[in-house]
Amino acid sequence: MDIWSMTRPALEEWFRSRGENPAKAAIVFRELYQRGAADFSGLPFSQRVKSALEESFTVEMPETETVSGGGDTVKLLLKLSDGEYVESVLMRQAYGGSVCVSTQVGCAMGCKFCQSGRLKKRRNLTAGEMAAQVMKLRREYSQQIHSVTVMGIGEPFDNFNAVRDFCDILTDYNGLALGEKHVTVSTCGIVPGIKAWGELPHPCSLALSLHAAEDGLRSELMPVNRRYPVREAVAAALDFAEQHNRRVTLEYVMLNGVNDSPEHALQLAELVGGSRRFYVNIIPYNGNDSGFTRSSRERIMAFYDVLKKHGVSVTMRREFGGDIAAACGQLSSRFRK
Ligand code: SAH
C-alpha cells in the first residue's frame, strides 16, 4: 500500500487497530504533506511504530519519464509502478503553483476533439497515484501548491471514490490544507456523479465541460451527452452550486467552424439563463491530429462579446502550455507512437 492513498481517517484507523493513538495520523500527514518528508525516519515516534509504518506503507513516487516545457509551465510524463504512464502539469504563478492532475490511464469518454479518448481507458488511478502527482511536482520544483485542477487525463466521475479520497487528502487541514474552492474537479457531465458529489459534506469545486449548448452538436462531440443530455447536466450543476453556495465553471473549448459562431454563443447564453451561479471559461483549442482546429482570435472575441452582451460571466483561459503539448493526453500519445 502506498501512503499517499491513505486519507487521514483511514490512517487514524490504522493506528487505532494497532493500539496506538490515532492522533499520530495527523503528525504523519504534517510530516509528509507540509514538511515534504521523503520517508518516515524523521517522525517523532518510537522505532517500533516507524518500523510498522515502513512495513505497511511505501512512500514512493512515480518516476519522471519525460519533462516538457520549463519556465511557467512544466509537464511531466510519469511512469507508474505497473509501467503505465500519466501526465501532470505544474503552472507557476506569483502566488503559488497550480497542478493539473490525471485520474485515469486513458479515458473511456471518447470526446471527439480530445486526445485522451483515443488512448482508451486502461485503468483507474488510485487516490495515492493522484496525490503523488501533486507531491512529485511540489518536490521537484520546490513549489508551494496553491490550487489543484482535476483536469488531466481521465473522467473523475468514472473513478468517483478515488477522486473523493484524493480531494479529502488535499483539503485535509493537516495535509496540503487547500480550500475546497481551490480544488476543481472537471467532469464531462456524468449526472449521477455530479449529484453524488453534491451529497458530500465538503465537496471541492466543480467544472462542467460543455463545449456545446445544444444536444445535437454536443452528442456529436461528446458521446456522454447521449446518456446525459446537456440540460440535465447543467441542472445538476446548478443544484450543486446552490446547495453549496458555489459557482460552477462551464468550460467551452473553441473549435473552429464547429461550435464557435455567434449563434452558438446565443444558445449558450440562453442555457445559462442569467444565472450568476455559472461562469463560462472560453478555452482556445490546443490542436492535435483530431481534425479540429482552433478558432481565430476574431471568432473567439465575437463569441465572447455575445456572451458579455447577454450578461454571462465569462473569462478566457490564459494560455498555458500549447507549446509543450500540455493539453490532455497529448504528451503520452506522442510518447506512445
Ligand atoms: N474528463 C474531464 C476532465 C479532463 S479534460 C472533463 O471532460 O471535463 C479537461 C478539459 O480540457 C475538458 O474541458 C476537455 O474537454 C478539454 N480539452 C480536451 N482536449 C483539449 C484540447 N485539445 N484543447 C483544449 N482543451 C481540451
Side-chain angles (χ1 to χ4, degrees):
M1 182 81 171
D2 71 292
I3 192 72
W4 311 112
S5 280
M6 297 295 280
T7 61
R8 186 164 48 87
L11 196 55
E12 282 167 358
E13 194 42 49
W14 184 86
F15 278 111
R16 202 177 282 118
S17 71
R18 277 165 182 73
E20 295 287 337
N21 185 347
K24 285 194 166 77
I27 297 171
V28 174
F29 257 55
R30 289 202 292 270
E31 182 78 3
L32 291 175
Y33 290 100
Q34 299 184 359
R35 303 177 63 164
D39 57 44
F40 300 121
S41 61
L43 284 164
F45 302 157
S46 68
Q47 194 50 52
R48 186 179 50 79
V49 172
K50 286 198 264 191
S51 301
L53 278 166
E54 275 154 19
E55 268 162 40
S56 295
F57 303 111
T58 65
V59 200
E60 273 161 34
M61 287 197 189
E63 298 208 351
T64 304
E65 184 72 40
T66 57
V67 182
S68 55
D72 279 351
T73 307
V74 281
K75 174 155 172 167
L76 300 187
L77 183 69
L78 298 173
K79 191 174 188 177
L80 303 173
S81 53
D82 64 348
E84 293 286 2
Y85 295 99
V86 287
E87 44 197 89
S88 321
V89 179
L90 171 68
M91 289 153 276
R92 285 188 272 195
Q93 283 136 344
Y95 48 82
S98 176
V99 176
C100 180
V101 172
S102 295
T103 56
Q104 296 178 318
V105 180
C107 181
M109 297 298 118
C111 299
K112 291 290 183 306
F113 50 85
C114 181
Q115 204 83 7
S116 305
R118 260 175 289 159
L119 300 173
K120 299 282 180 278
K121 175 172 150 186
R122 294 161 71 95
R123 69 171 174 87
N124 284 330
L125 298 191
T126 64
E129 286 170 327
M130 296 175 217
Q133 294 173 53
V134 178
M135 296 311 290
K136 175 85 181 178
L137 283 161
R138 184 188 125 119
R139 184 180 297 174
E140 298 283 299
Y141 297 93
S142 318
Q143 175 81 57
Q144 283 302 316
I145 304 304
H146 168 267
S147 59
V148 169
T149 53
V150 184
M151 297 187 184
I153 298 173
E155 167 50 41
F157 291 163
D158 187 32
N159 185 13
F160 190 95
N161 290 351
V163 170
R164 177 202 59 205
D165 288 353
F166 167 57
C167 289
D168 284 350
I169 291 166
L170 293 176
T171 55
D172 194 290
Y173 180 74
N174 293 287
L176 288 174
L178 297 178
E180 280 120 28
K181 291 182 184 170
H182 288 202
V183 180
T184 304
V185 174
S186 177
T187 177
C188 63
I190 297 181
V191 170
I194 298 172
K195 290 187 172 157
W197 199 251
E199 262 144 45
L200 299 177
H202 304 289
C204 291
S205 291
L206 200 63
L208 174 61
S209 295
L210 206 61
H211 311 328
E214 168 273 312
D215 280 326
L217 177 58
R218 194 164 186 273
S219 293
E220 261 174 53
L221 296 173
M222 305 173 69
V224 69
N225 192 77
R226 294 190 201 122
R227 254 183 99 186
Y228 306 113
V230 64
R231 280 177 194 278
E232 287 178 28
V234 168
L238 183 58
D239 283 347
F240 170 87
E242 294 194 325
Q243 251 172 308
H244 295 282
N245 194 24
R246 302 283 173 84
R247 300 182 87 199
V248 170
T249 310
L250 301 176
E251 296 164 276
Y252 200 100
V253 171
M254 298 293 282
L255 304 167
N256 186 34
V258 174
N259 65 352
D260 64 343
S261 72
E263 294 75 53
H264 291 119
L266 260 180
Q267 291 173 350
L268 177 54
E270 186 266 335
L271 184 66
V272 171
S275 170
R276 307 307 294 172
R277 290 290 183 192
F278 291 119
Y279 62 88
V280 173
N281 191 7
I282 296 180
I283 305 167
Y285 182 59
N286 270 313
N288 49 46
D289 55 9
S290 64
F292 293 95
T293 56
R294 147 189 304 222
S295 307
S296 67
R297 224 191 127 65
E298 292 68 41
R299 271 180 96 80
I300 295 179
M301 287 316 295
F303 192 91
Y304 177 92
D305 285 343
V306 171
L307 292 177
K308 271 276 171 215
K309 217 169 273 168
H310 287 79
V312 177
S313 310
V314 50
T315 53
M316 264 181 281
R317 179 175 292 179
R318 191 182 136 202
E319 255 215 277
F320 272 117
D323 54 331
I324 60 159
C328 315
Q330 291 188 353
L331 189 58
S332 47
S333 54
R334 227 178 257 179
F335 188 77
R336 244 170 237 207
K337 274 172 202 159

